[in-house]
Amino acid sequence: QVQLVQSGAEVKKPGSSVKVSCKVSGGTFSSYVISWVRQAPGQGLEWMGGNIPVFGSANYAQKFQGRVTISADEAATTAYMDLTSLTFEDTAVYYCARYTSGFDLWGQGTLVTVSS
Amino acid sequence: QSVLTQPPSVSGAPGQRVTIPCTGSSFNIGAGYDVYWYQQLPGRAPKLLIYGNSKRPSGVPDRFSGSKSGNTASLTVSGLQAEDEADYYCQSFDSSLSDEVFGGGTKLTVL
């Protein structure tokens, strides 16, 4: 069955960048919409953006425009989320999720800690 | 402040029924965009519970049901069980933001 497996936890300095990967196994990667959703400690879910690899284009939440880049490597069946200019408020668990009728399949989450 | 509004918490005794409302606006739920519901157990990734306002994915018990009227959607959990204790989130699309949006989440406590 289709599985989404994310890269491991990261600790970053304020002002730096982080790139999280999401390996998709099984299914037809190029037709999937892979989105990214984050969850700060004790807080709710926040959609960051998503892309359809076969179209090579992404759309981003207004809040993250200019700071996030979502991409995909079809050959590696892996999606990526790159977030720049990190601040302490970016400390969160970052999830990738496949969107079909809703976000129907999720990765296990990647904890990104921003600390000086 | 979330675009979709949910109560922070609800509770019920085992066997009872509880309803979690999700209130939006004419830019999202009221505009006819589908509503989705997710269950998140502690320390786990969210799980899709309801799609297309009222449909259940395979494997989701029929104790969970969804509905929508006007600017408000609702998730009803019937026959509460201890394992239903979790956080629940609604989600839809907002045309004014052109963003997918989530509710703030509701913690369901089984007494």
Side-chain angles (χ1 to χ4, degrees):
Chain A
Q1 74 274 23
V2 181
Q3 283 188 304
L4 279 59
V5 179
Q6 299 181 223
S7 49
E10 304 260 14
V11 179
K12 293 293 183 180
K13 299 277 190 200
S16 67
S17 300
V18 67
K19 190 168 188 173
V20 181
S21 68
C22 174
K23 168 74 174 175
V24 181
S25 58
T28 309
F29 176 79
S30 60
S31 66
Y32 293 153
V33 176
I34 300 294
S35 287
W36 292 85
V37 176
R38 79 175 186 179
Q39 185 171 37
Q43 302 301 309
L45 303 172
E46 186 173 35
W47 180 75
M48 301 179 69
N51 85 317
I52 305 174
V54 70
F55 295 145
S57 63
N59 61 315
Y60 304 111
Q62 286 191 11
K63 175 177 178 177
F64 299 100
Q65 289 271 0
R67 210 161 65 89
V68 67
T69 301
I70 292 171
S71 60
D73 181 337
E74 277 193 63
T77 65
T78 299
Y80 301 93
M81 187 282 300
D82 196 339
L83 187 63
T84 62
S85 303
L86 293 171
T87 70
F88 298 122
E89 288 67 43
D90 292 316
T91 294
V93 175
Y94 290 77
Y95 293 102
C96 62
R98 182 183 71 175
Y99 188 94
T100 55
S101 293
F103 299 109
D104 68 334
L105 194 61
W106 295 68
Q108 83 277 19
T110 296
L111 175 61
V112 175
T113 302
V114 182
S115 174
S116 55
Chain B
Q1 193 165 347
S2 303
V3 172
L4 304 179
T5 300
Q6 299 179 234
S9 63
V10 298
S11 63
Q16 286 189 333
R17 180 173 66 184
V18 296
T19 296
I20 300 172
C22 170
T23 303
S25 71
S26 58
F27 293 110
N28 39 70
I29 298 175
Y33 292 105
D34 281 347
V35 177
Y36 306 86
W37 289 91
Y38 302 86
Q39 177 192 62
Q40 187 176 34
L41 298 171
R44 304 293 298 273
K47 169 190 170 185
L48 181 65
L49 210 57
I50 297 288
Y51 68 96
N53 305 314
S54 60
K55 303 180 183 67
R56 284 185 307 276
S58 174
V60 173
D62 59 7
R63 302 185 294 103
F64 295 92
S65 62
S67 63
K68 187 176 90 166
S69 177
N71 291 344
T72 300
S74 297
L75 173 71
T76 297
V77 187
S78 305
L80 269 179
Q81 299 181 5
E83 67 208 49
D84 298 333
E85 194 160 285
D87 293 324
Y88 293 83
Y89 294 90
C90 59
Q91 177 250 316
S92 186
F93 179 81
D94 187 277
S95 60
S96 67
L97 299 171
S98 293
D99 287 353
E100 302 289 345
V101 291
F102 287 92
T106 298
K107 181 175 182 59
L108 170 59
T109 301
V110 181
L111 301 170

